[in-house]
């Protein structure tokens, strides 16, 4: 067997199996009931692990939610980046909207869970490993927006990075504010589009 194909030991397989069961249980319960109405004991029971074992993988319910949502967030960013590449050449706005559409849909798939996830990323302990992973994903999204904006000849690299931070802030507010939670995804995306258009317009007028 080659050096690059080291077999996984029995202990590691057991740990991986428990983690997958915990993830699956948390994912199902959060979708069924929302994060506020789920307890760690319920997750442990559905995953068929002791509560102490669950705490080895995630010490709080917030960490469980972040574990689950990180996977969804990563997949949404991947989809958005692919869609943005297909929209390149249609100005700056359309590729950016193509990138963020799957992200907005992901965060609003279950609005309570999405709002709590973003709140935990922003206000939780940034040194906690799952939050670090989530913040890295947020950085990847921001970098993706920056890259798209730098393709616009009217936007410099420094401005592109600043505008990307503004755009991600727009996404955050539009997907978490209570006043918007009853809107459809399309209505939220239309509002985000208008805000991004207004944000980019001065650069094109100046040009």
């Amino acid at each position: 067997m080659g050096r690059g194909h080291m077999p996984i030991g029995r202990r590691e397989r057991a740990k991986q199996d428990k983690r997958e069961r915990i993830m699956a249980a948390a994912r199902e319960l959060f979708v069924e009931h929302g994060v506020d109405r789920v307890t760690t004991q319920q997750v442990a029971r559905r995953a068929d692990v002791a509560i102490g074992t669950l705490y080895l993988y995630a010490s709080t319910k917030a960490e469980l939610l972040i574990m689950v949502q990180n996977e969804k967030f990563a997949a949404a960013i991947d989809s958005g980046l692919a869609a943005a590449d297909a929209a390149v050449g249609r100005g700056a706005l359309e590729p950016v909207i193509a990138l963020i559409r799957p992200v907005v849909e992901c965060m609003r798939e279950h609005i309570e869970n999405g709002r709590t996830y973003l709140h935990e990323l922003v206000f939780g302990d940034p040194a906690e490993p799952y939050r670090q992973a989530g913040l890295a994903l947020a950085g990847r999204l921001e970098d993706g927006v920056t890259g798209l904006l730098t393709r616009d000849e009217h936007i410099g690299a420094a401005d592109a990075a600043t505008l990307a931070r503004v755009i991600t802030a727009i996404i955050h507010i539009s997907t978490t504010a209570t006043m918007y939670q009853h809107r459809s995804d399309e209505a939220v995306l239309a509002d985000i589009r208008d805000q991004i258009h207004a944000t980019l317009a001065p650069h094109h007028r100046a040009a």
Side-chain angles (χ1 to χ4, degrees), residues 16-199:
Q16 183 175 322
D17 176 66
K18 288 176 184 176
R19 184 182 188 279
E20 290 175 354
R21 295 205 320 263
I22 290 168
M23 286 283 289
R27 188 183 303 114
E28 293 166 3
L29 286 166
F30 289 148
V31 169
E32 291 170 13
H33 306 292
V35 62
D36 286 348
R37 288 168 292 282
V38 173
T39 66
T40 52
Q41 183 62 61
Q42 288 174 307
V43 175
R45 189 178 304 117
R46 182 168 294 195
D48 194 25
V49 299
I51 190 67
T53 299
L54 183 145
Y55 289 149
L56 295 175
Y57 295 85
S59 60
T60 66
K61 184 171 64 174
E63 288 180 16
L64 280 173
L65 177 68
I66 295 170
M67 286 172 63
V68 169
Q69 290 292 132
N70 277 353
E71 287 192 350
K72 295 183 177 183
F73 193 17
I77 294 171
D78 287 342
S79 297
L81 289 170
D85 283 342
V88 166
R90 298 170 57 192
L93 180 61
E94 293 307 321
V96 170
I97 295 300
L99 168 57
I100 68 175
R101 175 180 288 275
V103 172
V104 172
E105 293 172 346
C106 168
M107 294 304 165
R108 289 177 54 82
E109 181 180 16
H110 192 296
I111 292 176
E112 177 190 335
N113 295 344
R115 292 175 68 195
T116 304
Y117 172 68
L118 291 176
H119 178 86
E120 287 292 337
L121 286 188
V122 172
F123 297 105
D125 180 5
E128 192 280 317
Y130 298 125
R131 286 189 179 85
Q132 284 186 342
L135 291 170
L137 289 171
R140 184 174 174 227
L141 174 63
E142 188 174 302
D143 288 345
V145 175
T146 301
L148 293 172
L149 294 179
T150 55
R151 298 184 184 187
D152 188 318
E153 62 182 0
H154 304 307
I155 301 175
D159 284 342
T162 300
L163 289 168
R165 289 196 295 275
V166 173
I167 289 170
T168 52
I170 290 170
I171 297 168
H172 184 96
I173 295 298
S174 297
T175 54
T176 59
T178 303
M179 63 186 295
Y180 300 142
Q181 66 180 340
H182 298 300
R183 291 184 177 183
S184 67
D185 287 354
E186 288 304 318
V188 170
L189 281 162
D191 185 56
I192 290 174
R193 174 190 288 273
D194 289 344
Q195 293 183 67
I196 295 174
H197 175 74
T199 300

